[in-house]
């Protein structure tokens, strides 16, 4: 017997969990699926300072756990570490096969699969991933105790995570392509004041080198086109995100950058299928805008199901 | 974690991994590591499926730093594959290790 739900939410980040809170409170049978544990990008953000309601900052992992607990309190079922191996979002009801083992049905689907770290696309990156190159400071920072490392990027994530990494590393050099940081001034100021942080502006990575582990980072100074090789123990990459659209791509046309167009009510081109959060075409991708999307998607789905 | 995945320490690496009588999947994990938490049930499920054909071991990175350094492991989780005392295949690391991909990697190792 297939399990049947009113709403299946795919992706347990802030958008998906907020959708689940609203759907479950509307007494819709709600299932949340995630390939990992709940929280999306928030769970590996070391601290969140701009989410209202937490005047003293909140650890990303704690905020993620709170979102999930709130959804579960109202009866949403969250399934962790589950992979969607087949799907038919055009069928009625819509079907999702999980781990090649079982199939669940849902009358509406909210896709909130978010985004994953953008790779640099520089030679050696794949080879040294996990051998010196990382995309998650909370996961891997402790590997670099007393080491000299580099951070690539100049946005909020790059600056905030650099500060976090100074707890472990002896030095953190931020390499950024532009001459200014894009991060909020508050983060920039704090980072620049930290004695363990150095900056290398106007430079872009060009290659990663080493025997079996990463040993050297090759950069180019953009103004002079001069290449330099820097000794490094590790490189953390925070240059933005790319949307995870594998699931939706077969059903809808994707906009520039792979993002999904929706109406103001989060509807996709497919009836009963909604998109919410970082996967959407929109100007600003924040936790606060993701939870807003999730709210709207759940309310719209609720109306659709009536 | 489970009966299917056994935790070892660096001192057991030689005997449990290199001298093992069957292929080994070794998982370096850390605490405060959401991707490690996400991988655990997948590793467990795949370990159960290959019981008797491959051994599934895990090693706590913070407690076994020298072994991680020796093997060039700089991130958690990292999965290494060993056959007849040698590392084989490509390592898997980070937050998007899929259960189907892990199963395929183990099947390739056993082939």
């Amino acid at each position: 017997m297939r399990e049947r739900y009113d709403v299946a939410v795919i992706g347990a980040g802030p958008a998906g969990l907020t959708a689940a809170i609203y759907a479950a409170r509307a007494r819709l049978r709600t299932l949340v699926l995630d390939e990992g544990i709940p929280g999306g990008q928030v769970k590996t953000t070391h601290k969140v300072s701009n989410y209202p309601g937490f005047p003293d900052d909140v650890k990303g992992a704690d905020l993620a756990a709170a979102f999930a607990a709130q959804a579960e309190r109202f009866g949403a079922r969250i399934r962790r570490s589950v992979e969607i191996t087949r799907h038919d979002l055009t069928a009625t009801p819509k079907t999702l096969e999980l781990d090649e083992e079982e199939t669940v049905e849902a009358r509406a689907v909210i896709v909130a699969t978010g985004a994953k770290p953008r790779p640099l696309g520089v030679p050696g990156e794949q080879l040294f991933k996990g051998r010196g190159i990382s995309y998650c400071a909370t996961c891997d920072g402790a590997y670099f105790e007393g080491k000299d490392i580099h951070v690539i990027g100049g946005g909020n994530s790059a600056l905030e995570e650099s500060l976090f990494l100074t707890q472990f590393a002896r030095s953190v050099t931020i390499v950024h392509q532009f001459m200014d940081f894009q991060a909020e001034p508050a983060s920039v100021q704090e980072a620049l004041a930290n004695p363990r942080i150095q900056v290398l502006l106007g430079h872009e990575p060009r290659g990663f080198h080493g025997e079996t582990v990463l040993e050297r980072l090759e950069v180019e100074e953009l103004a002079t086109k001069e290449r330099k090789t820097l000794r490094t123990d590790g490189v953390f990459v925070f240059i933005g995100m790319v949307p995870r659209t594998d699931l939706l791509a077969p059903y809808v046309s994707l906009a520039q950058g792979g993002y999904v167009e929706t109406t103001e009510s989060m509807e996709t081109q497919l009836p009963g299928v909604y998109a919410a959060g970082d996967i959407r075409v929109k100007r600003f991708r924040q936790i606060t805008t993701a939870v807003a999307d999730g709210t709207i998607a759940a309310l719209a789905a609720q109306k659709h199901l009536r | 974690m489970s009966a299917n995945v056994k935790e070892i320490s660096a001192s057991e690496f030689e005997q449990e991994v290199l001298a093992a009588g069957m292929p080994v999947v070794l998982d370096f994990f850390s605490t405060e590591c959401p991707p490690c938490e996400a991988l655990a049930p997948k590793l467990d499920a795949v370990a159960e499926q290959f019981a008797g054909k491959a051994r599934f071991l895990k090693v706590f990175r913070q407690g076994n730093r020298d072994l991680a350094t020796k093997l060039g492991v700089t991130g958690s989780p990292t999965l290494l594959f060993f056959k007849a005392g040698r590392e084989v295949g490509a390592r898997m690391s980070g937050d998007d290790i899929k259960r189907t991909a892990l199963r395929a990697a183990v099947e390739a190792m056993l082939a």
Side-chain angles (χ1 to χ4, degrees):
Chain A
M1 183 65 195
R2 292 175 168 185
E3 281 185 18
R4 303 186 75 158
Y5 292 88
D6 296 313
V7 179
V9 179
I10 302 171
L17 291 171
T18 306
I21 291 168
Y22 274 81
R25 280 179 57 79
R27 296 286 176 262
L28 297 173
R29 282 176 54 80
T30 304
L31 172 69
V32 184
L33 302 169
D34 197 281
E35 286 191 352
I37 63 169
Q41 294 163 54
V42 175
K43 66 178 176 281
T44 51
T45 302
H46 95 274
K47 81 173 178 183
V48 176
S49 307
N50 54 11
Y51 192 74
F54 298 89
D56 300 319
D57 299 339
V58 56
K59 279 179 72 175
D62 292 346
L63 184 59
F67 285 150
Q70 193 172 353
E72 285 179 318
R73 176 159 81 91
F74 296 116
R77 178 163 184 221
I78 302 178
R79 294 191 53 176
R80 294 154 169 83
S81 298
V82 63
E83 184 179 341
I84 297 170
T85 41
R86 289 170 79 99
H87 44 84
D88 188 347
L89 301 188
T90 55
T92 308
K94 302 171 195 312
T95 58
L96 300 163
E97 182 195 80
L98 310 179
D99 287 328
E100 299 177 328
E101 279 172 357
E102 60 177 309
T103 300
V104 296
E105 295 179 348
R107 296 163 66 208
V109 169
I110 297 172
V111 181
T113 42
K116 57 187 172 187
R118 177 186 298 281
L120 278 164
V122 160
E125 186 174 16
Q126 275 306 312
L127 186 64
F128 292 110
K129 183 187 170 198
R131 297 174 188 248
I133 300 178
S134 172
Y135 304 83
C136 177
T138 54
C139 307
D140 303 334
Y143 278 86
F144 299 92
E145 190 103 49
K147 306 279 190 186
D148 299 307
I149 62 174
H150 291 77
V151 165
I152 314 295
N156 279 334
S157 296
L159 281 275
E160 291 281 341
E161 300 302 314
S162 292
L163 281 162
F164 172 72
L165 287 166
T166 59
Q167 291 177 36
F168 309 102
R170 183 171 65 174
S171 76
V172 177
T173 305
I174 304 174
V175 179
H176 184 44
Q177 57 183 344
F178 302 122
M179 297 310 289
D180 296 301
F181 290 112
Q182 276 66 58
E184 289 165 1
S187 300
V188 177
Q189 228 165 29
E190 199 184 339
L192 295 181
N194 189 300
R196 291 192 181 195
I197 292 183
Q198 291 144 33
V199 297
L200 188 60
L201 296 171
H203 285 71
E204 260 188 6
R206 287 290 179 256
F208 296 101
H209 308 279
E211 278 290 324
T212 55
V213 293
L214 178 68
E215 292 162 17
R216 296 177 305 279
L217 165 67
E218 184 183 343
V219 296
E220 179 179 321
E221 181 169 10
L222 296 178
T224 60
K225 303 237 180 284
E226 187 197 342
R227 296 242 179 158
K228 301 167 193 170
T229 300
L230 313 171
R231 204 199 63 74
T232 191
D233 294 318
V235 171
F236 285 78
V237 180
F238 303 108
I239 55 160
M241 312 296 289
V242 285
R244 292 180 198 264
T245 48
D246 301 2
L247 185 90
L248 271 180
Y251 303 102
V252 301
S253 50
L254 300 176
Q256 207 184 0
Y259 294 98
V260 179
E261 292 270 13
T262 67
T263 64
E264 233 178 79
S265 301
M266 308 299 145
E267 298 153 315
T268 65
Q269 295 154 0
L270 214 56
V273 177
Y274 303 81
D278 283 6
I279 191 177
R280 279 184 64 227
V281 172
K282 56 178 177 175
R283 184 151 173 213
F284 299 112
R285 295 187 178 84
Q286 297 290 315
I287 307 172
T288 47
T289 63
V291 301
D293 284 4
T295 305
I296 296 164
L299 293 173
Q302 191 185 333
K303 280 228 154 43
H304 170 79
L305 292 174
R306 283 252 167 79
Chain B
M1 182 155 53
S2 84
N4 301 312
V5 182
K6 183 186 164 191
E7 183 167 351
I8 64 161
S9 64
S11 61
E12 299 164 284
F13 176 74
E14 188 79 42
Q15 190 197 331
E16 295 276 355
V17 177
L18 298 182
M22 62 174 91
V24 173
V25 179
L26 181 65
D27 171 28
F28 269 87
F29 73 101
S30 305
T31 45
E32 291 195 42
C33 168
C36 300
E37 243 181 279
L39 176 65
K42 302 178 201 176
L43 190 66
D44 195 31
V46 175
E48 190 182 341
Q49 194 189 341
F50 289 96
K53 293 181 187 148
R55 299 198 71 200
F56 288 73
L57 305 174
K58 59 174 183 163
V59 58
F60 180 50
R61 183 266 159 185
Q62 281 100 320
N64 300 279
R65 281 162 197 252
D66 292 349
L67 181 62
T69 306
K70 196 177 103 191
L71 294 171
V73 172
T74 66
S76 299
T78 296
L79 293 174
L80 295 81
F81 302 87
F82 292 89
K83 202 174 174 178
R86 285 184 44 218
E87 190 182 347
V88 294
R91 293 179 181 184
M92 301 175 90
S93 67
D95 76 339
D96 46 0
I97 301 174
K98 289 188 198 294
R99 188 162 139 182
T100 48
L102 172 57
R103 192 159 59 206
V106 177
E107 268 163 12
M109 174 172 68
L110 294 177

